[in-house]
Amino acid sequence: MYTAGGDTFHESIRELNTGNLRFTYDVVEGVELGVSAQAGGIYNDYLQSAELTTTLAGHIIADFSGFNLKAEYIYYNYNAKGAKVDDAGDVTTYDLETVQMGAYGFNYPVAAEANMYVAGLAYTIPVDFGPIKSIQPYVDFTMIDKVNPDYVDTYHLIPGALISAGPIYCYVDFAMGKNQPWLTDNFGVGLGQSVYRGILQADVGLGFEAGLGIVILAIILDRLTQSLSKK
């Protein structure tokens, strides 16, 4: 709750009665297609009423020649309502453009409606370095296309590698992004500022090339190792 211009705004909301469904189909061996949906209520404590919130998604997972490809499209709409109470006590409802979320001890606004595009490419290299049996270089990319034209889109890119040693595994990666809330100096900034930032300051374009370079280099080294072993 907050006040502005003599009016009081009530935006305390919470999720209620959420359910989801998921369906997958193996097109051919190693290729999976799937769709999923989630629906529930977003309850405003002041209005004592809930609105329907929905999420829809489609995905593909493919394994071929040591590669693993994942891609997904997601649409979500929180459809949350706020309430404005003026000096006369009249109540007006309005659509919330953002919803508050929290992480790492901070809260920050998230666009209430958006399209998300997610893609990941990985390549598994069998190795025999003591307990280490495989190394999987990968690059993951996410774009959040916010429906509100006043908000800038968010980009998130993570090149890295998964190192596996039996039941123990370790991810080593470099997170970078543009308009990504937890990669800015001011945690929570991400709706209206055009900011490129990585853990060590990076450009998304260069980072994407670097991520692909890691995967390509790993493939070349793997093929070279196989060639030498045959000789």
Side-chain angles (χ1 to χ4, degrees):
M1 182 182 71
Y2 65 94
T3 59
D7 298 326
T8 303
F9 297 85
H10 298 268
E11 298 182 352
S12 176
I13 57 175
R14 53 193 170 96
E15 292 183 308
L16 288 178
N17 307 321
T18 300
N20 55 68
L21 294 173
R22 184 174 185 268
F23 174 78
T24 63
Y25 177 72
D26 292 329
V27 182
V28 296
E29 184 177 357
V31 178
E32 174 188 290
L33 295 178
V35 294
S36 53
Q38 179 172 294
I42 292 291
Y43 184 82
N44 183 296
D45 291 328
Y46 181 83
L47 295 173
Q48 296 186 351
S49 64
E51 302 294 329
L52 178 65
T53 176
T54 55
T55 303
L56 302 172
H59 74 266
I60 179 173
I61 302 174
D63 294 297
F64 54 96
S65 303
F67 287 96
N68 174 260
L69 171 68
K70 296 183 177 72
E72 185 173 22
Y73 165 75
I74 304 167
Y75 166 77
Y76 73 84
N77 185 359
Y78 281 101
N79 195 30
K81 299 290 185 182
K84 182 182 76 170
V85 183
D86 60 22
D87 292 337
D90 295 327
V91 179
T92 304
T93 62
Y94 57 93
D95 295 329
L96 293 182
E97 296 294 341
T98 63
V99 294
Q100 292 292 319
M101 294 191 179
Y104 312 111
F106 293 87
N107 67 292
Y108 60 96
V110 173
E113 184 179 8
N115 298 283
M116 296 178 62
Y117 306 91
V118 184
L121 179 65
Y123 182 74
T124 301
I125 306 172
V127 298
D128 189 11
F129 301 147
I132 299 175
K133 299 305 178 185
S134 72
I135 298 176
Q136 186 185 73
Y138 60 84
V139 55
D140 296 329
F141 175 77
T142 301
M143 173 190 176
I144 304 177
D145 174 21
K146 298 158 190 172
V147 172
N148 188 327
D150 294 329
Y151 296 158
V152 294
D153 296 333
T154 293
Y155 301 87
H156 198 187
L157 179 73
I158 304 180
L162 167 62
I163 303 170
S164 300
I168 300 174
Y169 58 90
C170 176
Y171 288 95
V172 180
D173 54 34
F174 180 77
M176 63 192 82
K178 178 182 179 183
N179 312 317
Q180 169 56 256
W182 59 275
L183 291 178
T184 63
D185 294 329
N186 179 13
F187 186 89
V189 174
L191 290 174
Q193 292 189 5
S194 184
V195 179
Y196 285 92
R197 182 62 56 85
I199 292 178
L200 297 176
Q201 187 74 29
D203 177 83
V204 170
L206 294 176
F208 187 73
E209 294 169 3
L212 288 178
I214 291 173
V215 175
I216 294 171
L217 179 60
I219 296 170
I220 294 173
L221 292 175
D222 179 51
R223 295 293 188 261
L224 180 60
T225 302
Q226 291 181 9
S227 177
L228 293 174
S229 64
K230 290 180 180 179
K231 294 180 179 180

